[in-house]
Amino acid sequence: MIERNHQQHFEPLLREHRRLIAKVASVYARGSEDRRDLEQEICVQLWRAFPAFDPARAKFSTWLYRIALNVAISQVRRVASRDDSRFEPLDVHHLETIGGDAAPEQDERLVALYAFIEELDPLNRALILLYLEDRSYAEMADVLGISETNVATKIGRIKQKLRSQMAATEA
């Protein structure tokens, strides 16, 4: 009876936020089959954790991001330790859902940005994903389990590194 009640609440929330899961999967999994597998694993972990979800403590999207990113980062580490050759380079189609519905322009700067994001470690990749989603520093801190100050510091460093890399590319 309780599980049926959870299911009635979980399914509409999952449908409403399905796009966030796809974004996380597109950033952390390279092939279409791997993306589908990751999306499925995220959904399974969300379902398992849903009985502990407390809307008084966090918005559903924040809670979902936290679990999705943890699952994705864990999977990246697991796959990387197993077989690095399964990854393909990050391409425009992998990140086209980041930052909105519109497809990104495919110019050299955008390609360089994607390449830069691909080089980031999993935590910083998560941070950039949330930053491009226009999440507040407080939300990013809550999702990633770090302080707002740490979020600001990391974002600043990532921006500085990106500026340096882009300047070197254009020189």
Side-chain angles (χ1 to χ4, degrees), residues 42-139:
I42 290 169
C43 290
V44 167
Q45 294 306 322
L46 288 169
W47 171 247
R48 287 182 178 157
F50 190 67
F53 170 64
D54 181 0
R57 294 182 60 201
K59 293 190 311 187
F60 183 78
S61 62
T62 301
W63 176 82
L64 181 148
Y65 258 125
R66 187 179 311 131
I67 291 174
L69 289 170
N70 282 334
V71 171
I73 290 169
S74 294
Q75 183 155 322
V76 164
R77 289 179 180 151
R78 193 172 39 251
V79 169
S81 68
R82 197 176 59 214
D83 181 5
D84 288 340
S85 66
R86 291 188 60 196
F87 288 102
E88 62 183 67
L90 193 62
D91 200 350
V92 171
H93 75 275
H94 294 124
L95 296 175
E96 62 190 10
T97 58
I98 292 177
D101 296 327
E105 296 176 24
Q106 294 187 24
D107 63 22
E108 290 179 20
R109 293 177 58 92
L110 193 56
V111 171
L113 175 63
Y114 294 152
F116 174 77
I117 293 171
E118 171 63 20
E119 292 175 4
L120 295 173
D121 64 66
L123 177 63
N124 284 332
R125 211 180 305 166
L127 201 55
I128 286 300
L129 174 69
L130 296 168
Y131 181 77
L132 293 174
E133 281 281 315
D134 288 328
R135 300 288 172 165
S136 70
Y137 283 9
E139 272 185 291

Side-chain angles (χ1 to χ4, degrees), residues 1-16 47 50-51 53 60:
M1 187 67 157
I2 292 173
E3 187 167 322
R4 186 178 180 92
N5 189 27
H6 285 262
Q7 187 175 358
Q8 289 174 343
H9 289 94
F10 180 74
E11 287 179 354
L13 288 169
L14 186 63
R15 272 193 299 276
E16 182 181 336
W47 171 247
F50 190 67
F53 170 64
F60 183 78

